[in-house]
Amino acid sequence: MQQQHRQPDLVEGSLPVFVFPTELVFYADDQSSHKQVLTLYNPYEFALKFKVLCTAPNKYNVVDATGAVKPQCCVDIVIRHRDVRSCHFGVYDKFRLQVSEQSQRKALGRKEVTATLRPSSAHDPPTPRPPDEERRKEHSADSEFYEQTYHAEPRPSAGGPSLLTVLLGLVCMAALMLPTLGENESSVPLYLHLSVNKKLVAAYVLGLLTMVILRT
């Protein structure tokens, strides 16, 4: 008789967490570096759920800050720097990835990843990380991690259909309301009578304009 595989009880914080890379470097003059990817690996036989915390959540956008990883799989977590200013050059922030079993709330493991913004990627030698004592002074609340929320990228507000689009739509509607060529019982002058082909063109253009207006 086969015995069902049972996961051993894990102590909170004892589970190793595998994340790559362990340091994120953003460059102010390189737009492509403002988007970084963290890969979280799950080499275990059970599924994990994860949560991304940060010491400076207002400076970053984290897509899918919470989620799950299937057994022996990995997920990519996209992180964007959204506050590229000179006052943040050389400041070390931290991300903390907490993992737990899907049926539990306690964090089985955690891994911290540093993030820093540098002025330029050209001729930029590796900057030595500040000593532990200086880092403690720089981040007096180093253990204060906050939940990372996703800030939607601002989109230009749609100003509605242009005046030309509206006028062209009105012209097409008026063309469809005019009598068709060959109708004798009409008080409309003969030169305003339109052929069937012209009305088909007006109806087609009106349909296209309607789609444009609905998308704006």
Side-chain angles (χ1 to χ4, degrees):
M1 183 175 179
Q2 294 181 351
Q3 292 184 350
Q4 186 178 1
H5 175 72
R6 184 178 180 183
Q7 176 189 334
D9 293 333
L10 296 172
V11 180
E12 183 174 359
S14 64
L15 186 72
V17 179
F18 300 91
V19 181
F20 182 83
T22 58
E23 183 178 9
L24 302 177
V25 180
F26 303 88
Y27 296 101
D29 66 340
D30 186 0
Q31 185 73 26
S32 62
S33 73
H34 297 175
K35 174 184 174 181
Q36 303 278 348
V37 177
L38 279 178
T39 302
L40 174 63
Y41 299 89
N42 179 12
Y44 304 106
E45 299 292 336
F46 52 92
L48 294 174
K49 62 180 180 180
F50 67 89
K51 178 187 292 186
V52 180
L53 307 175
C54 184
T55 56
N58 293 330
K59 293 165 60 175
Y60 303 93
N61 260 347
V62 178
V63 181
D64 297 331
T66 59
V69 196
K70 296 179 180 180
Q72 299 181 352
C73 293
C74 63
V75 294
D76 290 334
I77 304 170
V78 179
I79 298 178
R80 291 186 177 91
H81 203 301
R82 58 189 300 265
D83 193 4
V84 180
R85 292 184 294 169
S86 59
C87 59
H88 299 314
F89 290 167
V91 177
Y92 281 88
D93 301 315
K94 284 187 179 182
F95 290 94
R96 173 180 290 174
L97 282 83
Q98 292 185 173
V99 298
S100 58
E101 191 183 0
Q102 289 192 332
S103 60
Q104 299 180 2
R105 289 189 176 183
K106 65 177 182 179
L108 297 180
R110 58 178 61 92
K111 182 74 171 182
E112 293 183 0
V113 176
T114 60
T116 182
L117 176 67
R118 296 179 183 174
S120 175
S121 59
H123 308 293
D124 182 26
T127 304
R129 296 183 60 179
D132 293 340
E133 191 66 30
E134 294 183 10
R135 286 211 307 270
R136 280 195 292 267
K137 292 179 180 179
E138 184 177 1
H139 292 287
S140 57
D142 198 28
S143 61
E144 293 185 7
F145 287 82
Y146 305 94
E147 290 194 12
Q148 184 71 55
T149 56
Y150 177 70
H151 304 270
E153 296 294 333
R155 296 182 178 179
S157 57
S162 64
L163 181 60
L164 179 61
T165 302
V166 175
L167 291 177
L168 189 56
L170 293 175
V171 170
C172 292
M173 292 176 62
L176 293 174
M177 296 176 65
L178 291 174
T180 306
L181 190 64
E183 293 183 5
N184 297 325
E185 297 179 0
S186 176
S187 59
V188 179
L190 186 60
Y191 63 87
L192 291 179
H193 290 216
L194 301 180
S195 64
V196 176
N197 291 336
K198 291 182 179 179
K199 285 197 171 185
L200 289 176
V201 173
Y204 177 74
V205 174
L206 182 60
L208 294 179
L209 292 175
T210 302
M211 294 179 60
V212 172
I213 293 174
L214 291 177
R215 289 183 178 181
T216 56

